Amino acid sequence: MNVAVVGAGWAGLAAALRLRELGHSVVVHEAARTLGGRARRVHARALDCWTDNGQHLLLGAYTQTLQVMRMLRLDPQALFYRMPLRLESADGQFSIKAANLPAPWHLLAGIATARGLRLSEKLALIAITNKLQKAQWETPPEQTVSQWLEQGRQSPHAIRTFWHPLCIAALNTPLEAASAQLFAHVLRDSLGGNKQASDLLIPRVDLTRLWPDALEHALHGDPLGRSSVLKGHTVRQLRTAARYVQVQDRHFDAVIVAGNAPSSHRLLAQLPASPLSTAYLESLAAFSFLPIATISLRLAQPWALPTPMLLLRDDPARRQFGQWLFDSSALGRPLRHEAPHGDTLVHIVVSDARAMQEHEAADVIAGLVTQLREQTRRYAPLPEVVAHNIIVEKRATFAAVPGLARPQNRTPWPRVWVAGDWTNTEYPAVLEGAVRSGLQAATELHAALD
Ligand SMILES: Cc1cc2nc3c(=O)[nH]c(=O)nc-3n(C[C@H](O)[C@H](O)[C@H](O)COP(=O)(O)OP(=O)(O)OC[C@H]3O[C@@H](n4cnc5c(N)ncnc54)[C@H](O)[C@@H]3O)c2cc1C
């Protein structure tokens, strides 16, 4: 079969890989000039180097993503800095580290020896996760994370120190609004899995280099010469017929629409209407979105913090918005790194960046530099900041609120499938969800039409 994929985010690219593997020809259409969608390489002129559109963190539980990389003959061992679960605040007041023991003892021992939590808080933490595990990681569908934590008798201090940063990082949605069920799935797959599942993986190369570049290369190397990647190619027209779908002016046997929810909605809304299709389109229109900001600072010299990832305490009232600090110089020697200033970059992540967006860039940077100086006193002083860059992805993820009816990959239209982090993956909007969705769409399409 000859299949079109619209969108070269991680979902569309995973779909293309699976289709190729199943013996089909694939033409990937991507509006941008760089592959990767919301996880891609960008050039930051202010920093005079290549970086990413946003700092990403992966988990050992991202098994399908790691598998995709292996299928492309890439070596995740080399491309990621991998470490056992370790959440440590920059100021040293809080830390929790997985112990070198088999699951679940690695976490139980980690909680027992955690710094910054009282004994009663540690016991409550173990109790709430045990209870969730006994409930098969299911929570009432309408429950928020706040309600779940309150029911589980977590103290305000434990919520502020541990649960808040974890929830905002995993779901990009504040505790009071976030779906307990989606959070429970994240906990199931990371903390409730084997020891490796909770490992933290920080990319050591840019996100497009991680595997999209290799896939593009593989598609262009298709021995039949019928697969390709069309970059800078926005699809505006989609039509269906009994025996083909029309994407722009070309006919294909089937299509996988893998844009984000709003852009996929725009294309699908052009197709013939039916009661089923109306309900399907309504589910795509029901998402709302939240921003994530990544602030990158280029330093006069590498900072060389002892660990590449530290938790920051945000204090929006003092314009201190930083939540996580990533130090490139602590990632070890970058691989064939073309970025001239690679190891002098630090990245600060602000999830749900709505409050930050209300401030001038200069104030944000000033607040952040003060925050870093105050909270990293136990380390070498922050080197001079010689340049900075702020990227705010306005629609970084959908708001992971309770009660979302997430669309299936199969659509009401024949020969049309969708893929994306917003489909019914059981995950919040994350890379692994996108990859799984793409693989699933391709597998279903193959089974239905081949
Ligand atoms: C700043 C930021 C930080 C994040 N941090 C993390 C993290 O740490 N860990 C994690 O797991 N996840 C993280 N995420 C989420 C993760 O990036 C997304 O879940 C994932 O990239 C979504 O992939 P996707 O393929 O579903 O969609 P997208 O990446 O949105 O891909 C859709 C693609 O389709 C293209 N497209 C749309 N319409 C058309 C059209 N008509 N014609 C042609 N092309 C079209 C778009 O240009 C885009 O390239 C983060 C996201 C952001 C933005």
mmCIF file of all heavy atoms in Angstrom, residues 6-12 29-32 36-39 53-58 62 233-236 258-260 263 267 292 294 393 396-397 419-422 429-432 434, ligand 1:
data_model
loop_
_atom_site.group_PDB
_atom_site.id
_atom_site.type_symbol
_atom_site.label_atom_id
_atom_site.label_comp_id
_atom_site.label_asym_id
_atom_site.label_seq_id
_atom_site.Cartn_x
_atom_site.Cartn_y
_atom_site.Cartn_z
ATOM 1 N N VAL A 6 0.438 12.653 7.667
ATOM 2 C CA VAL A 6 0.449 14.123 7.754
ATOM 3 C C VAL A 6 0.969 14.494 9.140
ATOM 4 O O VAL A 6 0.305 14.229 10.140
ATOM 5 C CB VAL A 6 -0.964 14.708 7.551
ATOM 6 C CG1 VAL A 6 -0.920 16.239 7.648
ATOM 7 C CG2 VAL A 6 -1.536 14.266 6.217
ATOM 8 N N GLY A 7 2.158 15.080 9.196
ATOM 9 C CA GLY A 7 2.734 15.477 10.480
ATOM 10 C C GLY A 7 3.915 14.596 10.846
ATOM 11 O O GLY A 7 3.795 13.373 10.926
ATOM 12 N N ALA A 8 5.068 15.238 11.048
ATOM 13 C CA ALA A 8 6.277 14.495 11.425
ATOM 14 C C ALA A 8 6.689 14.819 12.849
ATOM 15 O O ALA A 8 7.842 15.106 13.137
ATOM 16 C CB ALA A 8 7.404 14.790 10.450
ATOM 17 N N GLY A 9 5.702 14.804 13.761
ATOM 18 C CA GLY A 9 6.031 14.761 15.188
ATOM 19 C C GLY A 9 6.399 13.319 15.501
ATOM 20 O O GLY A 9 6.461 12.457 14.607
ATOM 21 N N TRP A 10 6.608 13.023 16.775
ATOM 22 C CA TRP A 10 7.048 11.673 17.129
ATOM 23 C C TRP A 10 5.972 10.642 16.823
ATOM 24 O O TRP A 10 6.276 9.488 16.516
ATOM 25 C CB TRP A 10 7.485 11.622 18.596
ATOM 26 C CG TRP A 10 8.817 12.287 18.826
ATOM 27 C CD1 TRP A 10 9.300 13.386 18.162
ATOM 28 C CD2 TRP A 10 9.833 11.905 19.753
ATOM 29 N NE1 TRP A 10 10.557 13.703 18.636
ATOM 30 C CE2 TRP A 10 10.905 12.823 19.612
ATOM 31 C CE3 TRP A 10 9.937 10.891 20.701
ATOM 32 C CZ2 TRP A 10 12.065 12.748 20.377
ATOM 33 C CZ3 TRP A 10 11.101 10.809 21.472
ATOM 34 C CH2 TRP A 10 12.151 11.732 21.308
ATOM 35 N N ALA A 11 4.682 11.053 16.833
ATOM 36 C CA ALA A 11 3.594 10.115 16.519
ATOM 37 C C ALA A 11 3.625 9.760 15.028
ATOM 38 O O ALA A 11 3.623 8.582 14.650
ATOM 39 C CB ALA A 11 2.247 10.715 16.897
ATOM 40 N N GLY A 12 3.658 10.784 14.174
ATOM 41 C CA GLY A 12 3.654 10.545 12.731
ATOM 42 C C GLY A 12 4.889 9.769 12.301
ATOM 43 O O GLY A 12 4.816 8.865 11.453
ATOM 44 N N HIS A 29 4.311 14.073 5.210
ATOM 45 C CA HIS A 29 4.182 15.508 4.897
ATOM 46 C C HIS A 29 4.366 16.298 6.180
ATOM 47 O O HIS A 29 3.634 16.081 7.143
ATOM 48 C CB HIS A 29 2.785 15.820 4.354
ATOM 49 C CG HIS A 29 2.387 14.998 3.166
ATOM 50 N ND1 HIS A 29 2.143 13.648 3.244
ATOM 51 C CD2 HIS A 29 2.160 15.349 1.881
ATOM 52 C CE1 HIS A 29 1.799 13.194 2.052
ATOM 53 N NE2 HIS A 29 1.800 14.211 1.200
ATOM 54 N N GLU A 30 5.298 17.213 6.201
ATOM 55 C CA GLU A 30 5.523 18.005 7.422
ATOM 56 C C GLU A 30 5.563 19.492 7.071
ATOM 57 O O GLU A 30 6.316 19.910 6.193
ATOM 58 C CB GLU A 30 6.827 17.576 8.107
ATOM 59 C CG GLU A 30 7.296 18.490 9.231
ATOM 60 C CD GLU A 30 6.254 18.763 10.321
ATOM 61 O OE1 GLU A 30 5.637 17.812 10.820
ATOM 62 O OE2 GLU A 30 6.043 19.951 10.655
ATOM 63 N N ALA A 31 4.762 20.261 7.802
ATOM 64 C CA ALA A 31 4.679 21.702 7.527
ATOM 65 C C ALA A 31 6.014 22.401 7.825
ATOM 66 O O ALA A 31 6.418 23.314 7.096
ATOM 67 C CB ALA A 31 3.571 22.313 8.381
ATOM 68 N N ALA A 32 6.699 21.958 8.876
ATOM 69 C CA ALA A 32 7.934 22.645 9.277
ATOM 70 C C ALA A 32 9.121 22.146 8.453
ATOM 71 O O ALA A 32 9.025 21.158 7.739
ATOM 72 C CB ALA A 32 8.190 22.409 10.759
ATOM 73 N N GLY A 36 10.145 16.462 14.008
ATOM 74 C CA GLY A 36 10.087 16.288 15.464
ATOM 75 C C GLY A 36 8.906 16.952 16.137
ATOM 76 O O GLY A 36 8.599 16.655 17.279
ATOM 77 N N GLY A 37 8.246 17.904 15.441
ATOM 78 C CA GLY A 37 7.053 18.539 16.012
ATOM 79 C C GLY A 37 7.371 19.283 17.293
ATOM 80 O O GLY A 37 8.276 20.120 17.335
ATOM 81 N N ARG A 38 6.678 18.931 18.350
ATOM 82 C CA ARG A 38 6.890 19.609 19.631
ATOM 83 C C ARG A 38 8.137 19.120 20.356
ATOM 84 O O ARG A 38 8.420 19.557 21.477
ATOM 85 C CB ARG A 38 5.649 19.425 20.519
ATOM 86 C CG ARG A 38 4.570 20.459 20.248
ATOM 87 C CD ARG A 38 3.304 20.107 20.989
ATOM 88 N NE ARG A 38 2.556 19.061 20.323
ATOM 89 C CZ ARG A 38 1.729 18.219 20.940
ATOM 90 N NH1 ARG A 38 1.586 18.282 22.250
ATOM 91 N NH2 ARG A 38 1.061 17.310 20.255
ATOM 92 N N ALA A 39 8.872 18.228 19.750
ATOM 93 C CA ALA A 39 10.145 17.769 20.327
ATOM 94 C C ALA A 39 11.170 17.817 19.202
ATOM 95 O O ALA A 39 11.439 16.812 18.546
ATOM 96 C CB ALA A 39 10.001 16.362 20.880
ATOM 97 N N ASN A 53 13.411 22.947 21.119
ATOM 98 C CA ASN A 53 12.285 23.859 21.351
ATOM 99 C C ASN A 53 11.847 23.810 22.810
ATOM 100 O O ASN A 53 11.075 24.645 23.259
ATOM 101 C CB ASN A 53 11.107 23.491 20.449
ATOM 102 C CG ASN A 53 10.509 22.155 20.836
ATOM 103 O OD1 ASN A 53 11.226 21.166 21.020
ATOM 104 N ND2 ASN A 53 9.202 22.085 20.988
ATOM 105 N N GLY A 54 12.354 22.836 23.560
ATOM 106 C CA GLY A 54 12.039 22.729 24.977
ATOM 107 C C GLY A 54 12.806 21.562 25.559
ATOM 108 O O GLY A 54 12.969 20.537 24.891
ATOM 109 N N GLN A 55 13.288 21.734 26.788
ATOM 110 C CA GLN A 55 13.997 20.635 27.450
ATOM 111 C C GLN A 55 13.037 19.472 27.662
ATOM 112 O O GLN A 55 11.919 19.661 28.129
ATOM 113 C CB GLN A 55 14.526 21.122 28.807
ATOM 114 C CG GLN A 55 15.143 20.048 29.655
ATOM 115 C CD GLN A 55 16.470 19.530 29.090
ATOM 116 O OE1 GLN A 55 17.350 20.317 28.745
ATOM 117 N NE2 GLN A 55 16.593 18.223 28.987
ATOM 118 N N HIS A 56 13.436 18.274 27.280
ATOM 119 C CA HIS A 56 12.606 17.081 27.487
ATOM 120 C C HIS A 56 13.320 16.092 28.404
ATOM 121 O O HIS A 56 14.546 15.965 28.375
ATOM 122 C CB HIS A 56 12.298 16.389 26.159
ATOM 123 C CG HIS A 56 11.185 17.021 25.387
ATOM 124 N ND1 HIS A 56 11.222 18.304 24.924
ATOM 125 C CD2 HIS A 56 9.972 16.520 24.991
ATOM 126 C CE1 HIS A 56 10.095 18.581 24.277
ATOM 127 N NE2 HIS A 56 9.314 17.504 24.307
ATOM 128 N N LEU A 57 12.507 15.375 29.174
ATOM 129 C CA LEU A 57 13.014 14.311 30.040
ATOM 130 C C LEU A 57 12.229 13.050 29.692
ATOM 131 O O LEU A 57 10.997 13.102 29.552
ATOM 132 C CB LEU A 57 12.778 14.686 31.509
ATOM 133 C CG LEU A 57 13.141 13.628 32.537
ATOM 134 C CD1 LEU A 57 14.658 13.503 32.654
ATOM 135 C CD2 LEU A 57 12.558 13.993 33.908
ATOM 136 N N LEU A 58 12.925 11.939 29.515
ATOM 137 C CA LEU A 58 12.229 10.673 29.228
ATOM 138 C C LEU A 58 12.410 9.743 30.422
ATOM 139 O O LEU A 58 13.240 9.994 31.293
ATOM 140 C CB LEU A 58 12.793 10.035 27.950
ATOM 141 C CG LEU A 58 12.460 10.776 26.637
ATOM 142 C CD1 LEU A 58 13.405 11.933 26.393
ATOM 143 C CD2 LEU A 58 12.510 9.828 25.446
ATOM 144 N N TYR A 62 9.593 4.460 29.033
ATOM 145 C CA TYR A 62 9.274 4.787 27.626
ATOM 146 C C TYR A 62 9.809 3.669 26.716
ATOM 147 O O TYR A 62 10.662 3.884 25.845
ATOM 148 C CB TYR A 62 9.912 6.120 27.236
ATOM 149 C CG TYR A 62 9.224 7.358 27.788
ATOM 150 C CD1 TYR A 62 8.290 7.290 28.820
ATOM 151 C CD2 TYR A 62 9.517 8.627 27.274
ATOM 152 C CE1 TYR A 62 7.676 8.434 29.318
ATOM 153 C CE2 TYR A 62 8.902 9.774 27.763
ATOM 154 C CZ TYR A 62 7.993 9.667 28.780
ATOM 155 O OH TYR A 62 7.387 10.803 29.268
ATOM 156 N N HIS A 233 5.923 21.373 3.920
ATOM 157 C CA HIS A 233 4.836 20.956 3.041
ATOM 158 C C HIS A 233 3.552 20.834 3.868
ATOM 159 O O HIS A 233 3.260 19.788 4.439
ATOM 160 C CB HIS A 233 5.234 19.598 2.438
ATOM 161 C CG HIS A 233 4.429 19.219 1.246
ATOM 162 N ND1 HIS A 233 4.888 19.316 -0.038
ATOM 163 C CD2 HIS A 233 3.174 18.740 1.160
ATOM 164 C CE1 HIS A 233 3.956 18.909 -0.876
ATOM 165 N NE2 HIS A 233 2.904 18.545 -0.165
ATOM 166 N N THR A 234 2.808 21.915 3.958
ATOM 167 C CA THR A 234 1.575 21.909 4.765
ATOM 168 C C THR A 234 0.434 21.292 3.972
ATOM 169 O O THR A 234 0.164 21.717 2.843
ATOM 170 C CB THR A 234 1.181 23.350 5.151
ATOM 171 O OG1 THR A 234 2.290 23.942 5.810
ATOM 172 C CG2 THR A 234 -0.038 23.370 6.066
ATOM 173 N N VAL A 235 -0.218 20.303 4.537
ATOM 174 C CA VAL A 235 -1.384 19.708 3.876
ATOM 175 C C VAL A 235 -2.614 20.539 4.220
ATOM 176 O O VAL A 235 -2.915 20.761 5.399
ATOM 177 C CB VAL A 235 -1.584 18.243 4.328
ATOM 178 C CG1 VAL A 235 -2.881 17.683 3.787
ATOM 179 C CG2 VAL A 235 -0.399 17.392 3.895
ATOM 180 N N ARG A 236 -3.293 21.017 3.200
ATOM 181 C CA ARG A 236 -4.490 21.826 3.444
ATOM 182 C C ARG A 236 -5.759 21.136 2.977
ATOM 183 O O ARG A 236 -6.856 21.546 3.293
ATOM 184 C CB ARG A 236 -4.371 23.180 2.727
ATOM 185 C CG ARG A 236 -3.186 23.969 3.207
ATOM 186 C CD ARG A 236 -3.130 25.367 2.610
ATOM 187 N NE ARG A 236 -1.768 25.876 2.731
ATOM 188 C CZ ARG A 236 -1.238 26.332 3.842
ATOM 189 N NH1 ARG A 236 -1.958 26.369 4.950
ATOM 190 N NH2 ARG A 236 0.013 26.761 3.884
ATOM 191 N N ALA A 258 -1.559 13.051 11.672
ATOM 192 C CA ALA A 258 -0.804 13.060 12.935
ATOM 193 C C ALA A 258 -0.374 14.470 13.325
ATOM 194 O O ALA A 258 0.718 14.690 13.845
ATOM 195 C CB ALA A 258 0.412 12.137 12.828
ATOM 196 N N GLY A 259 -1.259 15.437 13.078
ATOM 197 C CA GLY A 259 -0.995 16.794 13.586
ATOM 198 C C GLY A 259 -1.395 16.861 15.048
ATOM 199 O O GLY A 259 -1.784 15.847 15.644
ATOM 200 N N ASN A 260 -1.314 18.041 15.663
ATOM 201 C CA ASN A 260 -1.876 18.146 17.016
ATOM 202 C C ASN A 260 -3.409 18.155 16.883
ATOM 203 O O ASN A 260 -3.942 18.128 15.771
ATOM 204 C CB ASN A 260 -1.323 19.382 17.745
ATOM 205 C CG ASN A 260 -1.723 20.687 17.084
ATOM 206 O OD1 ASN A 260 -2.532 20.702 16.153
ATOM 207 N ND2 ASN A 260 -1.168 21.782 17.542
ATOM 208 N N SER A 263 -5.016 21.033 14.564
ATOM 209 C CA SER A 263 -4.715 20.969 13.122
ATOM 210 C C SER A 263 -5.318 19.699 12.516
ATOM 211 O O SER A 263 -5.780 19.719 11.358
ATOM 212 C CB SER A 263 -3.212 21.060 12.859
ATOM 213 O OG SER A 263 -2.573 19.904 13.313
ATOM 214 N N LEU A 267 -8.324 19.392 9.300
ATOM 215 C CA LEU A 267 -8.308 18.530 8.109
ATOM 216 C C LEU A 267 -9.509 17.579 8.095
ATOM 217 O O LEU A 267 -10.183 17.421 7.073
ATOM 218 C CB LEU A 267 -7.018 17.714 8.060
ATOM 219 C CG LEU A 267 -5.771 18.460 7.616
ATOM 220 C CD1 LEU A 267 -4.554 17.548 7.681
ATOM 221 C CD2 LEU A 267 -5.933 18.991 6.192
ATOM 222 N N ILE A 292 4.438 25.583 28.056
ATOM 223 C CA ILE A 292 5.668 25.269 28.817
ATOM 224 C C ILE A 292 6.749 26.220 28.302
ATOM 225 O O ILE A 292 6.880 26.417 27.087
ATOM 226 C CB ILE A 292 6.144 23.816 28.596
ATOM 227 C CG1 ILE A 292 5.075 22.811 29.020
ATOM 228 C CG2 ILE A 292 7.451 23.555 29.368
ATOM 229 C CD1 ILE A 292 5.474 21.338 28.821
ATOM 230 N N THR A 294 10.910 27.143 28.245
ATOM 231 C CA THR A 294 12.280 26.729 28.548
ATOM 232 C C THR A 294 13.159 27.964 28.410
ATOM 233 O O THR A 294 13.165 28.612 27.349
ATOM 234 C CB THR A 294 12.778 25.626 27.595
ATOM 235 O OG1 THR A 294 11.868 24.528 27.671
ATOM 236 C CG2 THR A 294 14.180 25.153 27.973
ATOM 237 N N GLU A 393 6.374 27.491 24.409
ATOM 238 C CA GLU A 393 5.505 26.702 23.520
ATOM 239 C C GLU A 393 4.084 26.879 24.062
ATOM 240 O O GLU A 393 3.730 26.336 25.111
ATOM 241 C CB GLU A 393 5.902 25.221 23.541
ATOM 242 C CG GLU A 393 7.146 24.919 22.747
ATOM 243 C CD GLU A 393 6.851 24.696 21.253
ATOM 244 O OE1 GLU A 393 5.677 24.816 20.830
ATOM 245 O OE2 GLU A 393 7.806 24.402 20.516
ATOM 246 N N ALA A 396 1.888 23.598 24.418
ATOM 247 C CA ALA A 396 2.856 22.518 24.652
ATOM 248 C C ALA A 396 2.150 21.188 24.831
ATOM 249 O O ALA A 396 2.531 20.181 24.227
ATOM 250 C CB ALA A 396 3.695 22.846 25.877
ATOM 251 N N THR A 397 1.143 21.163 25.683
ATOM 252 C CA THR A 397 0.402 19.915 25.922
ATOM 253 C C THR A 397 -1.068 20.253 26.133
ATOM 254 O O THR A 397 -1.396 21.382 26.504
ATOM 255 C CB THR A 397 0.876 19.194 27.206
ATOM 256 O OG1 THR A 397 0.449 19.944 28.348
ATOM 257 C CG2 THR A 397 2.387 18.996 27.245
ATOM 258 N N ALA A 419 -3.136 9.863 14.661
ATOM 259 C CA ALA A 419 -2.132 9.535 15.685
ATOM 260 C C ALA A 419 -1.692 10.831 16.344
ATOM 261 O O ALA A 419 -1.666 11.887 15.704
ATOM 262 C CB ALA A 419 -0.931 8.836 15.045
ATOM 263 N N GLY A 420 -1.383 10.756 17.616
ATOM 264 C CA GLY A 420 -0.911 11.937 18.342
ATOM 265 C C GLY A 420 -1.021 11.691 19.831
ATOM 266 O O GLY A 420 -1.720 10.765 20.263
ATOM 267 N N ASP A 421 -0.325 12.531 20.617
ATOM 268 C CA ASP A 421 -0.347 12.326 22.068
ATOM 269 C C ASP A 421 -1.735 12.520 22.657
ATOM 270 O O ASP A 421 -1.996 12.137 23.785
ATOM 271 C CB ASP A 421 0.698 13.238 22.742
ATOM 272 C CG ASP A 421 0.464 14.722 22.497
ATOM 273 O OD1 ASP A 421 -0.512 15.083 21.804
ATOM 274 O OD2 ASP A 421 1.259 15.539 23.020
ATOM 275 N N TRP A 422 -2.625 13.125 21.891
ATOM 276 C CA TRP A 422 -3.986 13.418 22.362
ATOM 277 C C TRP A 422 -4.963 12.258 22.127
ATOM 278 O O TRP A 422 -6.097 12.315 22.574
ATOM 279 C CB TRP A 422 -4.507 14.679 21.647
ATOM 280 C CG TRP A 422 -4.223 14.661 20.167
ATOM 281 C CD1 TRP A 422 -3.076 15.086 19.566
ATOM 282 C CD2 TRP A 422 -5.053 14.149 19.127
ATOM 283 N NE1 TRP A 422 -3.144 14.877 18.205
ATOM 284 C CE2 TRP A 422 -4.353 14.318 17.912
ATOM 285 C CE3 TRP A 422 -6.328 13.589 19.096
ATOM 286 C CZ2 TRP A 422 -4.872 13.930 16.680
ATOM 287 C CZ3 TRP A 422 -6.854 13.207 17.875
ATOM 288 C CH2 TRP A 422 -6.119 13.379 16.685
ATOM 289 N N ALA A 429 -0.045 14.089 27.811
ATOM 290 C CA ALA A 429 0.639 14.430 26.559
ATOM 291 C C ALA A 429 2.143 14.251 26.739
ATOM 292 O O ALA A 429 2.822 15.158 27.223
ATOM 293 C CB ALA A 429 0.321 15.870 26.176
ATOM 294 N N VAL A 430 2.649 13.089 26.386
ATOM 295 C CA VAL A 430 4.082 12.811 26.516
ATOM 296 C C VAL A 430 4.594 12.087 25.270
ATOM 297 O O VAL A 430 3.814 11.555 24.474
ATOM 298 C CB VAL A 430 4.400 11.954 27.770
ATOM 299 C CG1 VAL A 430 4.203 12.748 29.051
ATOM 300 C CG2 VAL A 430 3.569 10.679 27.791
ATOM 301 N N LEU A 431 5.919 12.066 25.156
ATOM 302 C CA LEU A 431 6.556 11.460 23.981
ATOM 303 C C LEU A 431 6.160 9.996 23.807
ATOM 304 O O LEU A 431 5.864 9.553 22.702
ATOM 305 C CB LEU A 431 8.072 11.558 24.139
ATOM 306 C CG LEU A 431 8.633 12.986 24.148
ATOM 307 C CD1 LEU A 431 10.077 12.993 24.611
ATOM 308 C CD2 LEU A 431 8.497 13.602 22.767
ATOM 309 N N GLU A 432 6.166 9.251 24.910
ATOM 310 C CA GLU A 432 5.870 7.830 24.795
ATOM 311 C C GLU A 432 4.422 7.623 24.318
ATOM 312 O O GLU A 432 4.144 6.712 23.533
ATOM 313 C CB GLU A 432 6.110 7.133 26.135
ATOM 314 C CG GLU A 432 5.758 5.653 26.181
ATOM 315 C CD GLU A 432 6.758 4.750 25.438
ATOM 316 O OE1 GLU A 432 7.738 5.258 24.867
ATOM 317 O OE2 GLU A 432 6.531 3.518 25.443
ATOM 318 N N ALA A 434 2.802 9.652 22.325
ATOM 319 C CA ALA A 434 2.807 9.975 20.896
ATOM 320 C C ALA A 434 3.336 8.788 20.090
ATOM 321 O O ALA A 434 2.749 8.370 19.090
ATOM 322 C CB ALA A 434 3.655 11.222 20.646
HETATM 323 C C1 LIG B 1 8.306 22.546 25.799
HETATM 324 C C2 LIG B 1 7.819 21.126 25.878
HETATM 325 C C3 LIG B 1 8.337 20.265 26.835
HETATM 326 C C4 LIG B 1 7.899 18.949 26.904
HETATM 327 N N1 LIG B 1 8.483 18.111 27.802
HETATM 328 C C5 LIG B 1 8.218 16.790 27.733
HETATM 329 C C6 LIG B 1 8.983 15.873 28.501
HETATM 330 O O1 LIG B 1 9.880 16.254 29.247
HETATM 331 N N2 LIG B 1 8.697 14.545 28.380
HETATM 332 C C7 LIG B 1 7.711 14.092 27.535
HETATM 333 O O2 LIG B 1 7.531 12.871 27.442
HETATM 334 N N3 LIG B 1 6.973 14.949 26.798
HETATM 335 C C8 LIG B 1 7.204 16.278 26.867
HETATM 336 N N4 LIG B 1 6.504 17.149 26.078
HETATM 337 C C9 LIG B 1 5.392 16.642 25.254
HETATM 338 C C10 LIG B 1 5.878 16.027 23.939
HETATM 339 O O3 LIG B 1 6.765 16.899 23.275
HETATM 340 C C11 LIG B 1 4.659 15.772 23.048
HETATM 341 O O4 LIG B 1 3.763 14.912 23.727
HETATM 342 C C12 LIG B 1 5.012 15.110 21.720
HETATM 343 O O5 LIG B 1 6.103 15.737 21.098
HETATM 344 C C13 LIG B 1 3.785 15.173 20.800
HETATM 345 O O6 LIG B 1 4.076 14.538 19.575
HETATM 346 P P1 LIG B 1 2.963 14.399 18.444
HETATM 347 O O7 LIG B 1 3.590 13.709 17.316
HETATM 348 O O8 LIG B 1 1.732 13.813 19.042
HETATM 349 O O9 LIG B 1 2.532 15.886 18.030
HETATM 350 P P2 LIG B 1 3.395 17.088 17.433
HETATM 351 O O10 LIG B 1 4.753 17.029 17.970
HETATM 352 O O11 LIG B 1 2.593 18.312 17.687
HETATM 353 O O12 LIG B 1 3.495 16.792 15.877
HETATM 354 C C14 LIG B 1 2.562 17.221 14.945
HETATM 355 C C15 LIG B 1 3.293 17.589 13.662
HETATM 356 O O13 LIG B 1 2.344 17.748 12.613
HETATM 357 C C16 LIG B 1 2.707 18.859 11.824
HETATM 358 N N5 LIG B 1 1.488 19.294 11.135
HETATM 359 C C17 LIG B 1 0.329 19.689 11.701
HETATM 360 N N6 LIG B 1 -0.579 19.963 10.748
HETATM 361 C C18 LIG B 1 0.010 19.721 9.553
HETATM 362 C C19 LIG B 1 -0.426 19.823 8.201
HETATM 363 N N7 LIG B 1 -1.667 20.210 7.891
HETATM 364 N N8 LIG B 1 0.445 19.506 7.209
HETATM 365 C C20 LIG B 1 1.709 19.102 7.509
HETATM 366 N N9 LIG B 1 2.161 18.999 8.777
HETATM 367 C C21 LIG B 1 1.332 19.299 9.791
HETATM 368 C C22 LIG B 1 3.265 19.844 12.828
HETATM 369 O O14 LIG B 1 4.092 20.802 12.208
HETATM 370 C C23 LIG B 1 4.037 18.913 13.768
HETATM 371 O O15 LIG B 1 5.365 18.738 13.337
HETATM 372 C C24 LIG B 1 6.884 18.492 26.025
HETATM 373 C C25 LIG B 1 6.354 19.352 25.070
HETATM 374 C C26 LIG B 1 6.816 20.652 24.981
HETATM 375 C C27 LIG B 1 6.270 21.550 23.913
#
